[in-house]
Amino acid sequence: MSRTLIQGGWVITLDPQYRDGTIMDVLVDGETIAAIGPNIQAAHDQVIDARGMIVIPGLVDTHRHVWESVIRNVGAEWSLTTYLKHLYYGGLGGKLRPEDVYVGDLLGALEALNAGVTTLLDWSMVNSPDHADALVEALTESGIRAVFAYGTPLLNAGAFWARDSQLTHPEDCRRVKARYFSSKNQRLTLGLAIRGPEFSSWDAALHDIRLARELDALCTMHLGFGTWGPHDHSVRRLYEAGVLGPDLNFVHSNTLQPDEYKIIADTGCSVSVTPEIEMLMGHGYPCTGFLVENGAAPTLGVDVVTSVSGDLLAQMRAVLAAERARVNNQTLAGGQMPETLVLSARQVLEFATVNGARALGLEDRIGTLSVGKQADIVLIRATDINLFPVNDPIGAVVSGAGVQNVDTVMVAGSMVKRHGRLLYPSLDSLLQRAQATRDYIFEAYGIPEGAQPVSLTLEAQA
């Protein structure tokens, strides 16, 4: 295995034993970080000149429906109910062939890598065993680190996604576990994307949670948003049933009862906050502050690129602005000007790294730049005009950086982006396939309201 010396960057480890933002080197030996410090003198095979770069841990997206990259931006004007009508209950998702989800997942995973997201949870809708195989193949080929969260089908969605549904999670997840996930130390790990108590019967929800534990898989569910949250008391009911724990991940959780955030913190459950989607589509206001106030650790996700970009850096800014605005408005309503601000840029960066890694059960492998951990590393080019000069490296990342500044991305020591370009071969061929997939889906389903699909001529690389 090769040894790579990342030399002379502003290193943000998020590991308390280092002073973040100082100029240091990082030595990568194969898949892992071998040393961090100034002026490392050690044998190496290649050098990455990181002068003028900010070096951070790879970003962790804890909630994304990755295949939807092929219908990106179709829902710029969609509310949550409109989205559900088209994707779940209207049949668009049920039209997908295995080759469609393969292309969508591969394109979406590469989009994430391009933006410095080295790990994501793919909340997958699995219409058949062939679809499951195609999704796993795409994630593997992309080079990303991922939790493949096996979900229920969008075929016959009305039967599955209903409050009285007694249908339980597809048994094919057992085959997928045995075939692809023999070890938890590999780059892809298994999760179950269950419907939960607000989109299935209570008995089905409990069955699916127990199934996830039987398979030693993370269990994730949409819970506590829109008009469901205030009345269902789902977290309290799950607590009373004795099933809460760190292996449960709740998505959104905007409109829970106040005591339920404390229950989440006390039982170690995680919450994926997807701030842009929640504010744009009508889930409710992001619950970030309620989580922090009760001792829970928020994580971040993009959710759906039907309505926002696949850029987790943008979600960091959105969650920071939303929570500060909420508290600032309370202060203003009391007749005072805000003197201090809630949340720090460092906290928000931790949401997208440390907290995300812990939520996915990967904190021993990723989330910080630490000796012995996997070398999931992102270099942000701080000599670009929108970031230069650097006066606060963490502030530059959280408040100013975008996809255009992501210069280099490594996953487990393997380079997937360098000098601002993805290293995936034949990318133009993939783009052609993505356009053809989009055309097939819209032909099979019909062009959704508000969509205006455009076709481009692309020359495929040899």
Side-chain angles (χ1 to χ4, degrees):
M1 299 292 287
S2 64
R3 288 162 64 90
T4 301
L5 184 62
I6 302 171
Q7 199 169 53
W10 288 293
V11 180
I12 300 171
T13 68
L14 300 178
D15 183 328
Q17 68 177 302
Y18 300 100
R19 184 172 179 269
D20 285 332
T22 57
I23 293 177
M24 293 190 290
D25 302 339
V26 179
L27 179 65
V28 176
D29 187 355
E31 295 187 355
T32 61
I33 297 171
I36 301 172
N39 303 312
I40 292 175
Q41 303 296 316
H44 54 269
D45 301 292
Q46 62 177 330
V47 173
I48 295 177
D49 184 356
R51 289 175 297 176
M53 307 272 191
I54 303 172
V55 184
I56 65 171
L59 302 178
V60 181
D61 182 328
T62 59
H63 185 75
R64 188 182 301 213
H65 300 270
V66 180
W67 78 265
E68 294 179 18
S69 65
V70 290
I71 55 169
R72 69 173 70 258
N73 308 129
V74 70
E77 310 301 331
W78 287 359
S79 67
L80 174 59
T81 54
T82 304
Y83 169 87
L84 293 174
K85 179 183 77 173
H86 286 300
L87 270 294
Y88 287 72
Y89 304 112
L92 187 158
K95 304 294 184 183
L96 301 172
R97 305 165 299 182
E99 55 263 42
D100 301 323
V101 296
Y102 167 82
V103 171
D105 249 42
L106 180 53
L107 180 67
L110 291 172
E111 172 189 20
L113 288 169
N114 190 55
V117 175
T118 56
T119 301
L120 55 74
L121 182 142
D122 182 10
W123 222 98
S124 296
M125 302 302 181
V126 182
N127 288 341
S128 74
D130 288 342
H131 288 77
D133 293 340
L135 289 160
V136 173
E137 181 184 354
L139 292 173
T140 301
E141 184 177 334
S142 73
I144 203 164
R145 188 185 303 279
V147 176
F148 171 63
Y150 192 123
T152 50
L154 289 173
L155 293 165
N156 195 21
F160 266 94
W161 288 83
R163 284 175 172 262
D164 59 352
S165 174
Q166 298 292 328
L167 295 173
T168 54
H169 205 79
E171 283 291 307
D172 181 61
C173 63
R174 297 182 186 276
R175 176 193 66 86
V176 168
K177 164 77 173 181
R179 180 172 180 178
Y180 298 110
F181 301 103
S182 59
S183 169
K184 297 199 78 170
N185 292 325
Q186 55 197 54
R187 191 163 42 80
L188 297 187
T189 52
L190 179 66
L192 292 195
I194 74 168
R195 294 153 296 159
E198 294 171 12
F199 292 95
S200 69
S201 70
W202 179 251
D203 288 342
L206 292 182
H207 169 277
D208 293 349
I209 291 171
R210 294 181 182 119
L211 175 61
R213 289 191 169 136
E214 178 187 338
L215 297 176
D216 193 21
L218 180 75
C219 185
T220 177
M221 69 196 80
H222 299 84
L223 184 143
F225 60 99
T227 54
W228 296 282
H231 309 295
D232 277 34
H233 310 293
S234 298
V235 170
R236 191 179 307 151
R237 293 174 68 203
L238 290 168
Y239 173 72
E240 291 169 353
V243 297
L244 296 186
D247 57 346
L248 295 193
N249 168 255
F250 303 136
V251 184
H252 306 312
S253 304
N254 309 80
T255 54
L256 299 177
Q257 296 297 321
D259 68 304
E260 292 181 292
Y261 295 111
K262 184 67 165 60
I263 291 172
I264 287 172
D266 290 346
T267 55
C269 301
S270 65
V271 175
S272 297
V273 178
T274 66
E276 279 192 305
I277 283 293
E278 292 165 8
M279 291 188 289
L280 289 171
M281 293 181 72
H283 297 67
Y285 206 80
C287 67
T288 318
F290 299 113
L291 293 170
V292 173
E293 290 164 8
N294 284 283
T299 74
L300 295 179
V302 163
D303 199 357
V304 293
V305 297
T306 56
S307 304
V308 299
S309 77
D311 178 3
L312 202 66
L313 295 161
Q315 301 306 318
M316 286 195 278
R317 282 190 287 281
V319 81
L320 184 62
E323 181 56 20
R324 286 182 176 178
R326 182 184 74 87
V327 176
N328 289 345
N329 278 341
Q330 292 175 348
T331 305
L332 291 168
Q336 301 293 322
M337 284 293 293
E339 295 292 338
T340 58
L341 300 175
V342 298
L343 294 188
S344 66
R346 182 188 176 90
Q347 281 179 288
V348 172
L349 184 57
E350 289 175 346
F351 294 172
T353 51
V354 178
N355 292 6
R358 185 181 304 114
L360 301 186
L362 300 172
E363 67 271 23
D364 61 332
R365 309 189 76 201
I366 61 167
T368 64
L369 299 182
S370 303
V371 173
K373 283 193 175 183
Q374 293 272 287
D376 290 12
I377 302 173
V378 174
L379 275 63
I380 294 174
R381 197 170 46 248
T383 53
D384 289 351
I385 195 167
N386 63 310
L387 295 181
F388 188 85
V390 173
N391 300 304
D392 174 1
I394 292 179
V397 172
V398 174
S399 299
V403 175
Q404 73 276 15
N405 306 121
V406 177
D407 180 271
T408 300
V409 179
M410 300 177 73
V411 180
S414 295
M415 207 85 67
V416 295
K417 184 177 184 180
R418 186 75 179 108
H419 300 307
R421 293 180 62 85
L422 283 171
L423 301 182
Y424 180 79
S426 302
L427 184 58
D428 283 354
S429 294
L430 175 61
L431 298 182
Q432 285 185 322
R433 293 183 67 183
Q435 186 164 269
T437 294
R438 183 277 313 269
D439 292 345
Y440 160 76
I441 293 171
F442 286 170
E443 181 180 349
Y445 176 75
I447 298 175
E449 59 190 90
Q452 296 181 351
V454 174
S455 294
L456 299 175
T457 300
L458 300 168
E459 291 186 5
Q461 299 174 358

